[in-house]
Amino acid sequence: MTNLKRVAPQQKPRLGIMGGTFDPIHYGHLVAAEMARGEFELSKVLFIPSGTPPHKIRKDLTAANLRYEMVELAIKDNPAFDLSALEIERKGLSYTVETLRVLRRTWPEYELYFITGTDALLEIFSWRDAEEILTMIQFIGAARPGFDASDFLLKVQEEHAEIQGKIHYLEVPALAISSTDIRSRVRCGKPIRYLLPEPVRLFIQQNGFYTAE
Ligand code: NAP
């Protein structure tokens, strides 16, 4: 897959945008963001928790403000990470295209790199205004170990010449951790320590998240 060359001094600075539901945020997400920052020479990574994800029908989804708080707790010790309430504050479904239009205006001097899971990326052409999204940004698909999305990504790039070189692939061993597994472990009374930052674990425990069926 495409590998970015080192940023030449005359090139635009790069901003990473970490989009996700983060229910809850865990070390897999944090490692993915930090690896992407190093690999793609991003000046900063902005975490944007989804408000109301357009494709989710999970009745037990944790309230957006609480997922936001968990992200805040998780990233506070990394000066290269930042948090945006854009999607939490916007009414209606959290369409990525609307978020990116705002970010494009706010950070005109930056090249934008949207980081998310490869599973989410596989659905990209079903997203609202996908073609517009692909003209605005580059994508970094963070892959779980054993998940080989490279064939798909190559195919997408062959079939859609306009996005040639705009979708990148990053294997993140720490993504063996998943939010689904953490929720299920809590429900079963299994430990989750060391899967996510300790302040987030305590927040989950204090608020009794993920205990109900
Ligand atoms: P999801 O369906 O919950 O997640 C898909 C997979 O990707 C899961 O395995 C998830 O693992 C992983 N993942 C999610 N975000 C990740 C991240 N930032 N880094 C690494 N792995 C990640 O997807 P989602 O979290 O709701 O959505 C991902 C992003 O795509 C969000 O920003 C969302 O708004 C956007 N999106 C937009 C549209 C649209 O505009 N129509 C449609 C779909 C998604 P975990 O469960 O462990 O997180």
Side-chain angles (χ1 to χ4, degrees):
M1 291 306 301
T2 50
N3 261 330
L4 290 191
K5 298 190 180 66
R6 295 198 76 74
V7 184
Q10 71 274 19
Q11 270 186 276
K12 285 181 167 188
R14 298 169 172 182
L15 176 71
I17 301 156
M18 186 76 172
T21 304
F22 304 125
D23 192 18
I25 187 160
H26 52 67
Y27 279 129
H29 299 128
L30 297 170
V31 171
E34 187 64 6
M35 277 179 70
R37 192 175 73 78
E39 199 79 16
F40 294 86
E41 306 201 336
L42 310 173
S43 311
K44 241 184 189 328
V45 178
L46 185 63
F47 283 70
I48 307 192
S50 305
T52 311
H55 57 304
K56 283 244 158 74
I57 318 163
R58 254 185 59 215
K59 277 189 269 153
D60 59 343
L61 189 71
T62 306
N65 61 314
L66 299 173
R67 286 185 284 109
Y68 178 93
E69 270 192 70
M70 289 194 273
V71 177
E72 195 169 32
L73 289 170
I75 66 169
K76 65 178 178 214
D77 61 351
N78 188 336
F81 288 174
D82 225 326
L83 178 59
S84 163
L86 251 183
E87 294 197 353
I88 304 288
E89 287 168 355
R90 199 168 63 223
K91 292 207 166 35
L93 299 177
S94 303
Y95 290 110
T96 299
V97 69
E98 291 176 14
T99 307
L100 293 175
R101 285 175 189 146
V102 175
L103 294 177
R104 200 49 299 162
R105 284 198 300 276
T106 316
W107 305 85
E109 71 280 25
Y110 279 79
E111 246 188 290
L112 304 182
Y113 284 75
F114 191 85
I115 311 158
T116 197
T118 35
D119 330 18
L121 210 52
L122 290 171
E123 312 282 326
I124 173 73
F125 284 99
S126 70
W127 293 13
R128 173 176 282 192
D129 297 329
E131 303 289 337
E132 182 185 342
I133 291 178
L134 289 160
T135 64
M136 285 192 274
I137 52 161
Q138 307 241 357
F139 266 105
I140 302 173
R144 299 213 135 89
F147 181 87
D148 185 5
S150 52
D151 281 353
F152 165 81
L153 295 176
L154 271 177
K155 192 161 171 276
V156 165
Q157 297 195 62
E158 275 165 17
E159 288 175 9
H160 298 269
E162 73 281 11
I163 61 159
Q164 195 70 33
K166 284 194 158 187
I167 300 195
H168 313 280
Y169 178 58
L170 188 65
E171 198 170 317
V172 184
L175 276 175
I177 302 170
S178 83
S179 302
T180 309
D181 177 57
I182 290 176
R183 292 195 303 271
S184 127
R185 293 181 74 84
V186 174
R187 212 164 27 248
C188 302
K190 292 183 180 169
I192 58 167
R193 198 189 283 262
Y194 308 129
L195 297 177
L196 68 185
E198 189 60 1
V200 180
R201 186 186 73 83
L202 292 173
F203 190 76
I204 290 171
Q205 196 176 57
Q206 281 153 12
N207 288 281
F209 294 158
Y210 316 127
T211 46
E213 273 300 317

